Amino acid sequence: MFTGMDSTAGTSGVRLAVTAKTRAADGVVALTLAHPQGRRLPDWTPGAHIDVVLPSGITRQYSLCGDRWDACSYRIAVLHEPRGRGGSAYVHDELTEGSIVALGGPRNNFPLAPSDKYLFIAGGIGITPLLPMIRQADLLGAEWKLLYLGRSRNTMAFLGELATYGDRVAVMPKDESGPRRLGELIGDPQADTKVYACGPQRLLAAVERHCRDWPAGLLRVEHFAAKDQGAPARSTPFEVELAQAGLRVTVHPDQSILDALQNAGVNVLNSCREGTCGTCEVSVLQGDPDHRDSILGDADRAAGRCMFPCVSRSRGDRLVLDL
């Protein structure tokens, strides 16, 4: 699941109706969304998310957690975050069956790569993008296991659905089993096993620490919120050249590339402005990006062929973008 900033720039103009709103766990509601005229919705793959523009104008990103083969409806789940910025409170308190929301996406920054075996690790609402992955892995006959951590069973969504998979699902509520040592649960790297993790920052940080010396490509995580990237690589202005437009824009230390482009009249599709949703991805033709997003893996960062201008910057004096 993603959370985003207040923006409607990433929407597609499609409007969906809330056709069902149900309790999935304490503090979690599941929403079914469909076109008011029953039209087919855009296809999606496991790990995908959508932008949901609420009637209040707030945009949030949520993982699709329903049946990818259902062409006419989407399902999302929303955790009520009392200390959030109002999106989850609106969904829980104001949104009802029949409410209309706008749609952006789907987009997939967390795709399921082919593998003989999978280890899925979910923390709380982080179960949402993993549910379709589990169904896909099961459909393809891959070996898999899910480690599902949470505060208590009543706060862990979709336990009933997961129960059908038997002992391949390890449910570990903290109030029953106490703190767990992730290293012991994850074990050593296996060349034929890919690990997918989603959940709170503390959980993901622990998973990444345990797997930091693993071969590239075995671990993939999805972050709820932007990671702390530290200070930028440079604190002086740099130039961005737009190859298609034939335009050069100076980016100052106190502004993002995205803001500099918009100030120059260049519209780049965007949504979260935190480097988590992937809406503003652009191709890099020349230069060395200072990647500050929470999406790209190490290999993509090293390749430097794309970047997210809402947060990322330049290490050198000039970047050339395919815009």
Side-chain angles (χ1 to χ4, degrees):
M1 190 194 80
F2 291 75
T3 56
M5 296 292 286
D6 299 355
S7 167
T8 59
T11 63
S12 63
V14 176
R15 296 171 68 80
L16 303 181
V18 178
T19 59
K21 179 180 180 180
T22 60
R23 176 186 175 278
D26 285 356
V28 180
V29 294
L31 302 178
T32 302
L33 308 175
H35 194 282
Q37 281 77 51
R39 296 175 187 168
R40 183 185 181 98
L41 301 180
D43 294 336
W44 58 281
T45 54
H49 70 275
I50 58 173
D51 300 330
V52 176
V53 185
L54 301 171
S56 63
I58 294 174
T59 299
R60 296 292 183 265
Q61 288 76 38
Y62 297 109
S63 297
L64 290 168
C65 61
D67 180 2
R68 63 169 296 202
W69 304 111
D70 180 350
C72 295
S73 70
Y74 290 152
R75 184 178 70 170
I76 60 173
V78 180
L79 172 68
H80 188 206
E81 300 179 88
R83 298 182 181 179
R85 290 169 288 127
S88 68
Y90 189 96
V91 170
H92 278 252
D93 300 336
E94 305 293 336
L95 213 60
T96 62
E97 292 185 17
S99 295
I100 301 294
V101 300
L103 168 71
R107 283 181 294 275
N108 199 339
N109 303 319
F110 193 42
L112 184 67
S115 182
D116 293 329
K117 299 179 182 178
Y118 297 98
L119 173 62
F120 300 108
I121 304 172
I125 197 65
I127 189 62
T128 51
L130 301 184
L131 281 176
M133 293 187 182
I134 289 168
R135 296 190 191 101
Q136 182 78 358
D138 202 57
L139 179 66
L140 296 175
E143 293 185 35
W144 62 269
K145 182 175 183 179
L146 168 66
L147 305 177
Y148 189 7
L149 294 80
R151 296 193 309 274
S152 59
R153 287 182 185 269
N154 62 334
T155 65
M156 300 169 72
F158 305 116
L159 288 179
E161 292 182 23
L162 291 167
T164 62
Y165 295 116
D167 60 8
R168 285 179 290 179
V169 175
V171 178
M172 293 174 286
K174 187 175 181 180
D175 65 347
E176 295 179 16
S177 55
R180 293 291 188 126
R181 294 189 177 184
L182 273 177
E184 296 176 0
L185 295 171
I186 298 173
D188 297 325
Q190 304 293 326
D192 61 350
T193 302
K194 286 184 167 53
V195 179
Y196 281 76
C198 185
Q201 283 299 111
R202 181 186 296 182
L203 171 65
L204 298 186
V207 172
E208 290 177 320
R209 281 196 301 272
H210 177 76
C211 302
R212 61 178 175 268
D213 296 325
W214 284 24
L218 292 187
L219 172 67
R220 188 72 192 272
V221 302
E222 181 169 66
H223 292 268
F224 285 164
K227 296 171 62 177
D228 181 7
Q229 303 290 345
R234 61 183 290 146
S235 58
T236 54
F238 57 91
E239 185 178 78
V240 172
E241 180 179 338
L242 309 185
Q244 296 182 38
L247 181 68
R248 295 185 179 184
V249 177
T250 298
V251 181
H252 296 282
D254 61 347
Q255 65 181 166
S256 68
I257 295 177
L258 181 63
D259 287 338
L261 294 179
Q262 291 184 327
N263 290 343
V266 179
N267 184 34
V268 178
L269 197 66
N270 69 91
S271 183
C272 76
R273 291 179 173 261
E274 294 181 333
T276 58
C277 76
T279 305
C280 67
E281 180 178 353
V282 296
S283 297
V284 178
L285 302 180
Q286 293 180 36
D288 186 8
D290 177 14
H291 294 293
R292 305 180 61 75
D293 62 272
S294 302
I295 300 172
L296 294 178
D298 291 340
D300 289 328
R301 286 172 178 252
R305 291 191 290 267
C306 67
M307 68 180 299
F308 301 95
C310 66
V311 291
S312 297
R313 305 186 66 77
S314 177
R315 294 181 178 276
D317 293 335
R318 177 171 164 267
L319 281 176
V320 180
L321 304 181
D322 190 15
L323 290 172

